[in-house]
Amino acid sequence: MEIAKLVKETFTKFPKLAQKASVAYPKFVKVVEVSPRDGLQNEKTWVPTETKINLINKLSDSGLRVVEATSFVSEKAIPQMKDNSEVLAGIIRKEGISYPVLVPNIKGMESALKQNVKEIAVFGAASEAFTQKNIKCSIEESLKRFEDVIAIAKRESIKVRGYVSCVMGCPYEGEIDPRLVNTVAQKLLDMGCYEISLGDTIGIGTPDKTYEMLQAVKIDRSILAAHFHNTYNRAIQNLVIALSEGISIVDSSVAGIGGCPYAKGASGNVPTEDILFLCELLGIEHGVDIPKLIEVGDYISTELKRENLARVKIADLENVQSYRNELFQ
Ligand SMILES: CC(C)(COP(=O)([O-])OP(=O)([O-])OC[C@H]1O[C@@H](n2cnc3c(N)ncnc32)[C@H](O)[C@@H]1OP(=O)([O-])[O-])[C@@H](O)C(=O)NCCC(=O)NCCSC(=O)C[C@@](C)(O)CC(=O)[O-]
């Protein structure tokens, strides 16, 4: 079973991680499901609004507490998200579930407000070049825009999440100084973001880099999220490090769908099914009905005519205990 194998490899390289007494893995992981936004934004073929609504409603039925629903960005930049208002108007908003939307500027905020959103996410980066490509401004200008957006959010009692992209490397600049990750993350926090999501946008991270980056980020672990793309099949191993470092919020995408249009080579996020299985292996609670979520992954893969990239199958769930025994001897 590949997830167990990846964890075992990580434990072999970092033996301390296999000793439960010396590593405090979180008791509970909050999964932030990003497939309706990050997963679909890069699809070249139009995904019908009804499919997007079905996807969100099915995800809401699986026990997830956060489902990122869409983005209020320029339709020239991201045509796939142009039905943002219809999607929000069409979904069943369940009590206790948050449906954040991405907002880059005041214009996006005004449109989002009309749909009665309760949570938004602003998205910055630790790379000047990526920020220019993605939102057409410098890091400094982006933070100024976010400040204005957040001022409105505060007035309207809307929660704001902050993203920092390129935390372990940039498709345009290459290496990224982790101190810049800390600077941007701190600024977002100071402005009023309640949670900061650290994006390995092109999946270039390694376990060592993950550790190094997290040492530079001087922010309380309880409000940091790991948003790792799985381009080189390293997201699971990087997450083992992040979890062992006290991160307890993980962004993921059912069936591993997705990719960033401004990050050439970026594949989808780490599949949610695989994250949940990782939690099972490490003895971390997650509150999600895994078989139901596997069905959702199959649903959206069929709709998109894409291979389902999740590696966990229902049958694997029966063997969790034996994998655990093997990992933690
Ligand atoms: C930020 C802008 C708008 C700047 O783009 P710009 O061209 O500088 O904006 P502008 O103010 O000059 O406006 C240009 C046009 O866009 C319109 N416009 C302007 N704003 C909006 C808006 N909010 N909603 C709808 N329309 C908008 C505006 O009205 C105008 O329309 P026109 O007069 O030409 O017809 C643009 O670059 C943009 O929308 N970028 C979004 C890119 C994006 O969504 N990227 C993917 C999300 S980030 C990501 O995936 C990474 C993440 C978060 O997952 C974490 C990780 O993995 O690292």
Side-chain angles (χ1 to χ4, degrees):
M1 201 277 147
E2 199 182 338
I3 306 298
K5 195 170 140 247
L6 288 167
V7 177
K8 191 158 181 98
E9 276 172 25
T10 320
F11 281 7
T12 307
K13 190 161 179 219
F14 306 93
K16 227 176 111 181
L17 300 184
Q19 297 157 20
K20 276 188 275 183
S22 54
V23 181
Y25 291 106
K27 280 198 166 53
F28 184 86
V29 155
K30 178 177 87 171
V31 175
V32 175
E33 175 63 38
V34 296
S35 58
R37 194 277 305 172
D38 206 354
L40 295 181
Q41 69 181 9
N42 204 27
E43 280 297 313
K44 298 289 170 271
T45 309
W46 176 248
V47 180
T49 306
E50 199 192 338
T51 306
K52 292 170 180 151
I53 293 171
N54 283 342
L55 172 63
I56 296 172
N57 287 343
K58 285 174 190 289
L59 290 166
S60 300
D61 282 341
S62 69
L64 288 158
R65 311 316 291 167
V66 189
V67 182
E68 194 175 70
T70 184
S71 61
F72 284 84
V73 298
S74 153
E75 79 172 66
K76 282 183 197 133
I78 311 284
Q80 191 60 255
M81 296 285 111
K82 70 179 176 191
D83 57 354
N84 40 32
S85 296
E86 291 81 356
V87 169
L88 283 186
I91 58 172
I92 299 162
R93 296 191 205 185
K94 275 190 147 186
E95 187 75 34
I97 302 185
S98 189
Y99 299 93
V101 300
L102 257 58
V103 169
N105 54 15
I106 300 274
K107 188 176 166 73
M109 187 65 184
E110 283 167 353
S111 308
L113 283 176
K114 287 188 191 138
Q115 295 308 320
N116 197 22
V117 299
K118 301 280 182 253
E119 179 172 346
I120 62 160
V122 292
F123 48 107
S127 153
E128 285 293 351
F130 183 82
T131 309
Q132 283 292 351
K133 294 271 183 197
N134 196 32
I135 50 174
K136 299 190 168 53
C137 63
S138 66
I139 294 178
E140 201 181 327
E141 286 163 340
S142 74
L143 294 171
K144 176 72 193 72
R145 284 185 196 172
F146 300 153
E147 214 165 7
D148 296 343
V149 168
I150 293 171
I152 301 177
K154 280 183 183 158
R155 195 185 69 210
E156 302 288 336
S157 305
I158 289 170
K159 286 168 79 181
V160 186
R161 188 172 205 244
Y163 276 106
V164 184
S165 285
C166 301
V167 299
M168 290 198 260
C170 167
Y172 310 106
E173 289 182 14
E175 287 293 318
I176 291 295
D177 185 342
R179 286 171 303 181
L180 183 54
V181 177
N182 184 49
T183 305
V184 177
Q186 284 285 356
K187 287 192 175 162
L188 290 173
L189 198 60
D190 293 346
M191 279 179 203
C193 291
Y194 80 98
E195 188 172 288
I196 303 293
S197 177
L198 301 170
D200 181 13
T201 316
I202 49 171
I204 198 98
T206 61
D208 288 325
K209 260 193 175 170
T210 306
Y211 183 80
E212 188 197 345
M213 185 270 295
L214 287 175
Q215 300 319 298
V217 178
K218 312 285 183 208
I219 291 178
D220 189 335
R221 297 299 190 242
S222 66
I223 55 166
L224 284 181
H227 178 108
F228 293 170
H229 286 258
N230 199 29
T231 320
Y232 304 103
N233 197 23
R234 296 203 290 256
I236 288 289
Q237 299 194 321
N238 299 342
L239 276 166
V240 173
I241 302 297
L243 293 168
S244 75
E245 283 297 302
I247 302 264
S248 61
I249 308 162
V250 178
D251 299 0
S252 58
S253 179
V254 76
I257 61 170
C260 179
Y262 294 95
K264 201 165 172 282
S267 76
N269 282 94
V270 61
T272 310
E273 300 87 325
D274 294 0
I275 295 301
L276 298 173
F277 196 76
L278 174 66
C279 288
E280 296 279 329
L281 290 177
L282 299 179
I284 300 172
E285 286 170 36
H286 48 75
V288 183
D289 184 331
I290 303 182
K292 256 193 181 168
L293 202 81
I294 289 176
E295 278 176 30
V296 186
D298 288 338
Y299 163 76
I300 195 62
S301 303
T302 306
E303 290 293 319
L304 301 180
K305 300 183 182 62
R306 265 174 172 265
E307 183 193 352
N308 185 338
L309 297 176
R311 287 156 288 190
V312 176
K313 304 281 170 255
I314 303 268
D316 296 318
L317 300 173
E318 287 156 24
N319 301 318
V320 171
Q321 193 53 49
S322 65
Y323 291 125
R324 273 176 60 77
N325 293 344
E326 214 184 300
L327 285 169
F328 295 100
Q329 281 157 2

